[in-house]
Amino acid sequence: MFTYAPAPESRSIVNIKPSYGLFINGSFVDGGSAFKTINPANEEVLAEVAEATKEDVDRAVKAARAAFKTWSKLPGKERAKYLFRIARIIQERSRELAVLESLDNGKPIKESRDVDVPLVAAHFFYYAGWADKLNHAGFGANPRPLGVAGQIIPWNFPLLMLAWKIAPALACGNTVVLKPAETTPLSALLFAEICQQADLPPGVVNIVTGAGATGAALVDHPDVDKVAFTGSTDVGRHIAKAVAGTKKKVTLELGGKAANIIFEDAPIDQAVEGIVNGIFFNQGHVCCAGSRLLVQESIYDTLLESLKRRMGTLRVGDPLDKNTDIGAINSQDQLKRIKALAKIGSEEGAEAWSPPCELPRNGFWFRPTIFTGVSQAHRIAREEIFGPVLSVLTFRTPAEAIEKANNTPYGLSAGIWTEKGSRILDMADKLRAGVVWANTFNKFDPASPFGGYKESGYGREGGRHGLEAYLAV
Amino acid sequence: MLALNSRTTKTAFDVASSDAALHRFLHGLPGVDKVGAEQRTAALSTRSIKTTAKAYAIDLAIRMVDLTTLEGADTPGKVKALCAKGRHPDPADPTCPSVAAICVYPSMVPTAAAALKGSGIHLASVATAFPSGQAPMAVKLYDTSAAVDAGADEIDMVINRGAFLAGRYLEVYEEIVAIKEACRSAHLKVILETGELVTYDNVRRASWLAMIAGADFIKTSTGKVTPAATLPVTLIMLEAVRDYVAETSRKVGVKPAGGIRTTKDAIKYLVMVNETVGEGWLDPDWFRFGASTLLNDLLMQRTKLATGHYAGPDYFTLD
């Protein structure tokens, strides 16, 4: 038998401190109380992290405001130098960042190493390139920055979401106060060290760690000009209410329930890869995950058989093992949510299937799962599960596929699989989703804008469009 | 397999009743998305095979080698030396397995047959006007039966790429059927020469065409055309044999040949076999490497794993 021997990435490359303060005005300062961040793969405590209070947030915003005066006046090419430098340091320290991300988040090292960290560097490179070309971005001559941006990011792609927020903000001349998610603060704190290493002027980037209260303090702070949030639709609603009637500009990137549509003339083997990548990438903790599989009824049996066979080769386990395909669920809370929705799926009559796989005893784990016999009326077809759980539905005609795909309050992404080019164009035109992938899924590029329709949020991140969120236009 | 199920109700072989039927069948196979297929092999290439898994893979790869010499300059001396190497790849280590087969031109088959006697190593001969296949059918048939008569128990034939690319599928099919007959009990490996077929859709179609015509193995390349074997091409062929066995219950082997030179490469192929068709093909009866220089790198890595250090190239025989 060809059994792969353990191939663990060494964790000694990253030096995790026992405790971390807040990164304000270019240095680490003590916060009030502290909370622990754990490795979700074994529940081991990784570090203690300061919890920023309202006063701490105020200090951070003041530092950002002070830094804005000089940072915003720097010529674009000077700001670009800092961003290029940060991008290069990220590349140089990529292994360290990847290991830390996998430890704190639970995602497999092959993803943090081959997807997250390279995309992080690419984002900084990309927006560094824009910093001295803003006059030509299509927003008129000399577009001005907004001021201080308060940014709140989720735990699914801690470092990548940081890059999506910080790189365009800085390129446009804003300064930022960023709050990472409470379960995944460590890579943001390592990024703070990288800012020091890059000699970024103090106050341009501030990192305040904490939970919901810290985020609320940041959103409510009167001297914040811009709020950028990625996370759940519920929290997004609160933020939109909180900033209503203020000068603050807002961009929200919220939940999704994307349809991945497989036509009978699809390249089947690649479509199966796309389905697996669409829902099991990052344990399904992806807002644009292809969590609703729409299969043309004529190929349902063939496709399901191929999908199950492929799922049988998925390797679930230690995130630091280089051969792991599916890592740990990020937190106990999230695991409970996934389990609760999966239970509802079974109770509502859908049939669950998982490949046989052994799960580690400690930590938070959930088997890759598909539900068949799902209809639009099931809760697992409507609510975002945010885990490795796929709902399989069928359709008969392109019109029915469009109708079902669009029949959701969300509209973040969608996938189309067919060898017929004209059908791709027709479908893409009719799908109400911010991103439509054709014969691929979960592909990201800094030059491509990303964002949602309907309850998936507003504003775009990435590409030229992403600049608009940080300019007074 | 969707195309066969929906398009033919009797047997898989009805599809070869006419050129039109064959055309309809082969063009009804699901397409291959190039980007997706290459992405899949790139992802599988990141598998990290260490320690015990590596030792297993190296020995398996040695057992799968079709040790090959196909040069105009081949002589009986050269072929005898190659056969000796095939028996005992590492004379210093009796635990080292022997290779699967020795692969030579038909004129060298008598020499090789004598040298391999009693070894259990298969003797493969290329045939059918290898490598171009551009010869009259009678020549191809004689080429084949002469090799079999001289003692080859495996025949590596080339398909008629000219006919394939011109869409004359029935002609290609009938040639394979005729050669298969001329092989008698010898195993038939059908070389698709994927470097000349160019697209993955063509590779999938040619794979099916060869299998329904009776191929025991499908093989990527002659080694005389660039590119020779690649991971994505082999992936498409593995998917074809996987789908074919599901449809017909007949198992077909796969042989990538040409361009596989390092242990690292060989292990990538084995990982791909493992995760595409599974353990059933992790056996020299069902998967082979057509190679010449690969063997020495496998031996070098094998020694390194056992002793902890690399031995210089002079410690491995040059044949």
Side-chain angles (χ1 to χ4, degrees):
Chain A
M1 242 202 35
F2 196 8
T3 318
Y4 304 160
E9 180 63 79
S10 165
R11 64 172 284 177
S12 62
I13 187 159
V14 58
N15 175 23
I16 304 178
K17 295 175 190 148
S19 70
Y20 287 89
L22 307 167
F23 185 67
I24 295 175
N25 207 26
S27 47
F28 283 94
V29 298
D30 290 340
S33 55
F35 62 97
K36 292 180 169 66
T37 183
I38 63 167
N39 177 350
N42 57 17
E43 300 171 63
E44 166 207 358
V45 174
L46 293 170
E48 281 205 342
V49 178
E51 174 138 27
T53 60
K54 213 171 157 189
E55 290 70 38
D56 295 325
V57 171
D58 183 55
R59 273 197 290 162
V61 173
K62 284 201 169 94
R65 176 58 62 193
F68 178 68
K69 292 188 183 75
T70 46
W71 180 253
S72 60
K73 297 286 182 294
L74 274 187
K77 66 173 186 186
E78 295 303 317
R79 291 199 304 271
K81 283 183 192 169
Y82 287 105
L83 291 171
F84 278 124
R85 200 180 294 161
I86 288 172
R88 283 195 303 269
I89 297 172
I90 287 168
Q91 286 185 321
E92 282 163 19
R93 301 179 69 172
S94 59
R95 246 178 90 191
E96 196 180 339
L97 287 163
V99 170
L100 185 62
E101 196 77 321
S102 283
L103 282 172
D104 204 16
N105 171 280
K107 66 175 69 200
I109 186 75
K110 75 165 191 188
E111 285 177 12
S112 48
R113 178 195 66 198
D114 297 343
V115 182
D116 294 51
V117 176
L119 276 174
V120 168
H123 254 84
F124 278 97
F125 278 119
Y126 177 80
Y127 280 110
W130 268 119
D132 63 350
K133 300 172 194 71
L134 297 174
N135 284 340
H136 312 286
F139 305 110
N142 299 313
R144 285 172 300 110
L146 292 169
V148 175
Q151 305 176 319
I152 300 171
I153 58 170
W155 46 261
N156 58 343
F157 294 95
L159 198 61
L160 183 58
M161 291 301 103
L162 174 148
W164 282 27
K165 297 279 181 281
I166 291 183
L170 263 48
C172 292
N174 304 275
T175 55
V176 305
V177 178
L178 176 128
K179 187 196 90 66
E182 62 180 303
T183 60
T184 56
L186 295 183
S187 54
L189 294 164
L190 182 53
F191 178 80
E193 286 177 25
I194 288 173
C195 291
Q196 290 178 325
Q197 196 184 342
D199 279 329
L200 191 72
V204 172
V205 168
N206 305 275
I207 311 266
V208 290
T209 43
T214 307
L218 182 56
V219 170
D220 293 337
H221 196 287
D223 203 27
V224 164
D225 300 291
K226 152 88 190 181
V227 174
F229 172 76
T230 297
S232 71
T233 296
D234 274 351
V235 176
R237 279 204 189 92
H238 283 295
I239 291 174
K241 280 180 200 156
V243 300
T246 70
K247 62 171 181 176
K248 294 171 195 172
K249 288 183 83 175
V250 191
T251 44
L252 301 172
E253 201 267 89
L254 309 174
K257 192 75 189 175
N260 203 359
I261 306 167
I262 320 291
F263 284 96
E264 61 183 2
D265 62 354
I268 299 291
D269 290 307
Q270 288 74 47
V272 167
E273 290 307 314
I275 296 164
V276 167
N277 181 36
I279 186 62
F280 301 125
F281 173 61
N282 202 32
Q283 295 75 248
H285 302 328
V286 183
C287 45
C288 53
S291 52
R292 276 188 302 151
L293 179 64
L294 297 183
V295 187
Q296 194 155 13
E297 220 167 309
S298 52
I299 54 160
Y300 177 83
D301 292 336
T302 315
L303 189 85
L304 260 282
E305 196 188 306
S306 301
L307 178 60
K308 285 179 177 177
R309 182 183 53 220
R310 175 67 177 88
M311 283 173 69
T313 67
L314 289 171
R315 304 169 63 86
V316 185
D318 179 10
L320 282 192
D321 192 302
K322 291 175 212 163
N323 294 326
T324 291
D325 297 318
I326 298 185
I329 302 300
N330 179 249
S331 65
Q332 181 82 59
D333 281 354
Q334 187 57 29
L335 182 60
K336 274 187 199 150
R337 220 163 295 158
I338 296 168
K339 283 182 172 166
L341 270 162
K343 189 158 168 274
I344 290 168
S346 298
E347 284 165 5
E348 288 185 340
E351 195 186 326
W353 183 88
S354 295
C357 60
E358 226 174 283
L359 299 181
R361 248 176 296 153
N362 297 323
F364 316 127
W365 304 91
F366 198 85
R367 282 190 180 81
T369 302
I370 53 174
F371 274 100
T372 52
V374 180
S375 77
Q376 288 286 92
H378 285 86
R379 276 182 68 186
I380 51 170
R382 309 205 62 78
E383 295 178 27
E384 187 177 36
I385 300 173
F386 222 63
V389 182
L390 178 68
S391 301
V392 185
L393 298 90
T394 59
F395 67 93
R396 295 160 297 177
T397 62
E400 189 182 1
I402 292 280
E403 194 178 280
K404 284 187 167 165
N406 287 341
N407 180 216
T408 165
Y410 296 112
L412 194 52
S413 67
I416 310 166
W417 296 82
T418 170
E419 287 272 282
K420 191 164 176 161
S422 59
R423 184 180 289 141
I424 292 174
L425 297 175
D426 182 54
M427 295 287 292
D429 210 31
K430 291 172 180 153
L431 285 166
R432 290 172 48 75
V435 184
V436 177
W437 283 294
N439 291 338
T440 187
F441 210 93
N442 275 341
K443 267 257 177 297
F444 305 98
D445 189 285
S448 169
F450 184 91
Y453 276 51
K454 301 191 276 186
E455 289 178 25
S456 289
Y458 38 81
R460 293 292 178 265
E461 294 184 296
R464 185 185 66 82
H465 306 68
L467 296 167
E468 191 177 351
Y470 292 97
L471 290 171
V473 291
Chain B
M1 182 72 229
L2 124 116
L4 273 178
N5 281 336
S6 57
R7 275 158 224 267
T8 68
T9 46
K10 286 150 270 163
T11 72
F13 307 100
D14 287 355
V15 299
S17 60
S18 70
D19 223 344
L22 206 45
H23 191 277
R24 267 198 305 278
F25 170 72
L26 294 176
H27 286 259
L29 293 167
V32 182
D33 185 79
K34 181 171 185 278
V35 175
E38 289 171 0
Q39 204 173 306
R40 172 71 177 143
T41 54
L44 283 173
S45 297
T46 69
R47 289 289 190 221
S48 181
I49 303 303
K50 303 281 185 208
T51 58
T52 50
K54 192 172 182 181
Y56 168 86
I58 289 175
D59 276 13
L60 181 59
I62 292 172
R63 290 170 51 222
M64 287 173 166
V65 167
D66 277 6
L67 193 59
T68 303
T69 183
L70 294 169
E71 302 297 334
D74 285 346
T75 58
K78 162 80 186 172
V79 169
K80 278 183 205 156
L82 199 71
C83 292
K85 171 127 183 176
R87 282 172 179 252
H88 303 291
D90 186 352
D93 182 355
T95 67
C96 180
S98 43
V99 300
I102 300 293
C103 182
V104 293
Y105 269 120
S107 61
M108 291 296 145
V109 168
T111 311
L116 291 175
K117 207 162 184 159
S119 65
I121 296 174
H122 293 287
L123 173 51
S125 171
V126 297
T128 69
F130 180 95
S132 71
Q134 301 280 21
M137 193 56 202
V139 175
K140 295 183 187 181
L141 286 170
Y142 181 73
D143 201 14
T144 306
S145 51
V148 175
D149 289 341
D153 64 345
E154 298 182 353
I155 293 295
D156 290 26
M157 74 168 284
V158 289
I159 65 162
N160 186 336
R161 284 90 75 190
F164 183 90
L165 290 170
R168 299 196 307 272
Y169 298 135
L170 194 60
E171 189 179 329
V172 183
Y173 171 86
E174 282 169 348
E175 275 192 26
I176 300 171
V177 170
I179 300 294
K180 170 77 182 163
E181 210 169 300
C183 283
R184 303 196 292 276
S185 64
H187 269 225
L188 177 62
K189 305 197 198 100
V190 177
I191 303 173
L192 311 179
E193 195 65 298
T194 53
E196 290 182 346
L197 302 183
V198 181
T199 70
Y200 297 139
D201 285 325
N202 274 346
V203 172
R204 171 166 289 175
R205 288 174 194 144
S207 300
W208 274 86
L209 183 58
M211 291 187 294
I212 57 183
D216 297 302
F217 253 78
I218 49 176
K219 174 175 168 184
T220 61
S221 324
T222 59
K224 307 291 184 194
V225 166
T226 310
T230 66
L231 285 164
V233 153
T234 311
L235 174 70
I236 303 308
M237 291 166 62
L238 287 166
E239 288 167 351
V241 299
R242 177 199 70 197
D243 294 343
Y244 185 77
V245 74
E247 184 66 24
T248 64
S249 302
R250 189 169 81 84
K251 195 170 165 184
V252 176
V254 177
K255 176 177 170 185
I260 305 164
R261 294 194 178 86
T262 64
T263 303
K264 214 171 177 176
D265 284 342
I267 291 178
K268 284 179 188 174
Y269 280 89
L270 294 180
V271 164
M272 193 166 72
V273 172
N274 191 34
E275 301 200 28
T276 307
V277 287
E279 266 187 90
W281 271 262
L282 285 174
D283 184 297
D285 283 347
W286 301 108
F287 194 80
R288 296 276 181 86
F289 290 109
S292 42
T293 50
L294 170 65
L295 183 59
N296 266 14
D297 194 65
L298 288 167
L299 296 174
M300 213 181 278
Q301 295 297 335
R302 191 176 187 276
T303 307
K304 157 75 167 55
L305 261 188
T307 63
H309 60 266
Y310 282 105
D314 286 348
Y315 288 87
F316 301 94
T317 57
L318 282 176
D319 279 307

